Amino acid sequence: MDNFGHLGGLIGGFVAAAALGLYKEPWFSFKRILALIAAVIILVGGFILGMNANANDARYLVYRVAEAQKDEDYQKMVDLGQEALLQDANNVDAYKAIAYGATNLHDYDTAIEAAQSWIALQEDADAYYVMGVCYYNSGNFDKAAVVLEKGLTLSPRDSDIQDLYEKVQKILNSGGQGTRI
């Protein structure tokens, strides 16, 4: 708990004591009514502030996206990401949310576009993996191989990237078709 919590408790204690009054003090005194009004204002103001303080915080976005992902609400992930981009066009977490959500919705063009923006801001093997999955599932195995190679240069031990890259290579070498992942 930070110092603001301690100060809030101190102020709240004084306001509560004034609102409730002391022993044998009249119930309807001006001081008590004023303290009761102050307590209500502080309580309502604190509630409103607490509910809205983190609405634009990037960490809160990550939390909301994780909740949507846990609930398998992929459209909500995309919507949250797009909402966050309206506030900050350089929000990497927003592009991640859009890329992962759109991939699960099979909206590969949107996912690839989000992953490319993600890479432009922060090169990450996971972004290349998302692009690889999208290209693989849309049957564009040449592009899948290229982006997965880039992902492997950033994270050579990532088993997901390695496994998908091997599948793509087998398909390219045999000239066959792949199955959606």
Side-chain angles (χ1 to χ4, degrees), residues 52-90:
N52 296 318
N54 293 323
N56 298 328
D57 189 351
R59 292 173 297 182
Y60 186 55
L61 168 69
V62 171
Y63 167 76
R64 290 175 62 196
V65 167
E67 287 293 310
Q69 188 173 15
K70 183 177 78 174
D71 295 339
E72 296 182 5
D73 188 353
Y74 303 117
Q75 185 60 52
K76 185 174 182 181
M77 290 175 66
V78 172
D79 294 342
L80 288 169
Q82 290 172 339
E83 180 184 321
L85 288 177
L86 294 175
Q87 297 167 3
D88 179 11
N90 294 323

Side-chain angles (χ1 to χ4, degrees), residues 9-10 13 35 61 68 95 100 103 131 145 151:
L10 179 68
L61 168 69
Y95 287 115
Y100 288 131
T103 300
M131 288 175 62

Side-chain angles (χ1 to χ4, degrees), residues 7-165:
L7 289 174
L10 179 68
I11 293 169
F14 279 117
V15 171
L20 295 174
L22 301 172
Y23 182 67
K24 292 188 179 182
E25 188 176 8
W27 270 97
F28 295 105
S29 68
F30 179 71
K31 179 181 112 180
R32 184 176 280 184
I33 292 172
L34 191 62
L36 188 59
I37 291 170
V40 169
I41 289 171
I42 290 172
L43 181 68
V44 170
F47 179 78
I48 291 170
L49 178 66
M51 294 303 290
N52 296 318
N54 293 323
N56 298 328
D57 189 351
R59 292 173 297 182
Y60 186 55
L61 168 69
V62 171
Y63 167 76
R64 290 175 62 196
V65 167
E67 287 293 310
Q69 188 173 15
K70 183 177 78 174
D71 295 339
E72 296 182 5
D73 188 353
Y74 303 117
Q75 185 60 52
K76 185 174 182 181
M77 290 175 66
V78 172
D79 294 342
L80 288 169
Q82 290 172 339
E83 180 184 321
L85 288 177
L86 294 175
Q87 297 167 3
D88 179 11
N90 294 323
N91 187 334
V92 174
D93 292 323
Y95 287 115
K96 288 179 185 181
I98 294 169
Y100 288 131
T103 300
N104 284 296
L105 292 171
H106 308 293
D107 183 0
Y108 301 125
D109 292 335
T110 301
I112 289 168
E113 185 178 314
Q116 288 170 337
S117 298
W118 170 6
I119 290 167
L121 294 171
Q122 173 187 337
E123 195 167 31
D124 188 345
D126 288 340
Y128 287 112
Y129 176 71
V130 168
M131 288 175 62
V133 167
C134 291
Y135 285 132
Y136 177 89
N137 285 337
S138 59
N140 196 336
F141 303 114
D142 292 326
K143 285 187 178 180
V146 170
V147 295
L148 291 169
E149 284 176 8
K150 289 179 184 176
L152 283 172
T153 60
L154 293 174
S155 184
R157 294 188 177 146
D158 189 317
S159 61
D160 291 333
I161 298 174
Q162 286 176 349
D163 292 345
L164 185 56
Y165 182 71

